[in-house]
């Protein structure tokens, strides 16, 4: 009986050590632990994210990083300024998307539907990336626009000829600066491990 208990204890220790090693190598120990404890929450929208991101010519890992930052995968999240759903799409952005796609009688509460939300949010992110396509790395600029609006992002750029680091330093909204940096870090995390 003692032998069996020792064997089970050794296997349990080896399992915990292996888990800890893999989680630490992932680059984000806490995220990886949460992901292993609740995989359904962290992966339930992956197929939809891949399909919508591909349709909008976006990297699915970038879209998932935005979803992670905006809602932590909570499709029913309601933001402080009325943003809704997975990508926390504002009513203004959603109405622009609906007009562009000729969707009659669009109701903003449809943004709680994951597919509608990802469609509108990805469309808005793609538009922001196109706006900053002449930058060496348009992603940080587009994320700032996604979060704070085009006019503010343009103000932070100024007359032009600015590096990404200079741009991040000029963002005078600490929340937006942290927002951009956290998405860039999560995006890098997904790319490093080679999957969402």
């Amino acid at each position: 009986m003692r032998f069996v208990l020792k064997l089970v204890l050794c296997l349990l220790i080896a399992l915990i050590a292996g888990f800890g090693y893999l989680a630490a190598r992932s680059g984000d120990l806490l995220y990886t632990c949460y992901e292993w404890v609740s995989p359904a929450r962290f992966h339930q929208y992956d197929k939809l994210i891949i399909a919508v991101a591909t349709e909008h010519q976006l990297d699915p890992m970038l879209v998932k990083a935005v979803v992670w930052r905006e809602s932590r995968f909570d499709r029913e999240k309601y933001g402080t300024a009325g943003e809704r759903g997975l990508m926390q799409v504002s009513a203004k952005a959603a109405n622009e998307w609906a007009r562009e796609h000729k969707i009659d009688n669009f109701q903003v509460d449809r943004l709680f539907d994951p597919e509608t939300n990802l469609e509108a949010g990805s469309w808005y992110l793609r538009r922001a990336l196109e706006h900053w396509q002449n930058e060496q790395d348009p992603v940080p600029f587009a994320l700032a626009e996604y979060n704070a609006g085009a006019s503010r992002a343009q103000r932070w750029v100024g007359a032009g000829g600015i590096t990404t680091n200079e741009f991040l330093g000029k963002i005078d909204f600490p929340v937006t600066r942290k927002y951009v940096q956290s998405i860039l870090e999560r995006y890098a995390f997904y790319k490093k491990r080679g999957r969402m």
Side-chain angles (χ1 to χ4, degrees):
M1 184 69 167
R2 283 186 167 185
F3 174 75
V4 173
L5 287 175
K6 285 182 181 179
L7 181 63
V8 169
L9 184 60
C10 286
L11 287 173
L12 186 59
I13 290 171
L15 183 65
I16 291 169
F19 171 78
Y21 173 75
L22 291 173
R25 284 198 60 217
S26 75
D28 188 333
L29 179 65
L30 191 58
Y31 181 91
T32 303
C33 289
Y34 283 139
E35 188 178 42
W36 284 358
V37 169
S38 180
R41 178 176 182 209
F42 287 80
H43 297 287
Q44 64 185 323
Y45 302 112
D46 284 0
K47 288 181 182 175
L48 186 56
I49 289 170
I50 291 167
V52 172
T54 302
E55 175 188 336
H56 291 278
Q57 299 173 346
L58 295 169
D59 185 341
M61 292 183 204
L62 175 60
V63 174
K64 185 165 181 173
V66 172
V67 170
W68 167 82
R69 175 62 176 85
E70 289 285 6
S71 68
R72 298 299 199 268
F73 311 106
D74 179 1
R75 66 184 277 171
E76 295 180 11
K77 180 158 186 191
Y78 192 86
T80 56
E83 309 91 349
R84 292 167 172 83
L86 292 172
M87 293 184 78
Q88 289 293 278
V89 179
S90 70
K92 180 182 178 207
N95 285 320
E96 289 175 22
W97 166 76
R99 264 193 312 279
E100 175 93 9
H101 290 83
K102 297 176 178 37
I103 299 171
D104 294 326
N105 302 317
F106 177 75
Q107 301 294 317
V108 292
D109 280 345
R110 286 183 53 197
L111 290 171
F112 292 117
D113 168 61
E115 186 172 1
T116 301
N117 190 280
L118 289 166
E119 283 286 346
S122 294
W123 171 82
Y124 192 75
L125 182 58
R126 164 52 50 204
R127 192 175 75 169
L129 282 164
E130 288 171 357
H131 183 226
W132 298 103
Q133 67 185 346
N134 292 330
E135 297 299 329
Q136 184 175 359
D137 181 6
V139 173
F141 299 87
L143 292 172
E145 179 174 324
Y146 189 93
N147 180 257
S151 62
R152 288 187 183 108
Q154 190 60 55
R155 180 172 56 89
W156 295 324
V157 168
I162 190 171
T163 67
T164 300
N165 286 337
E166 290 170 336
F167 174 70
L168 291 173
K170 284 188 165 192
I171 298 175
D172 57 4
F173 289 5
V175 171
T176 298
R177 188 179 322 110
K178 185 175 168 112
Y179 171 90
V180 171
Q181 290 170 331
S182 69
I183 292 175
L184 292 175
E185 288 168 8
R186 181 65 44 209
Y187 183 34
F189 166 75
Y190 291 143
K191 289 196 297 188
K192 177 183 174 187
R193 71 179 189 171
R195 63 183 174 83
M196 298 190 326

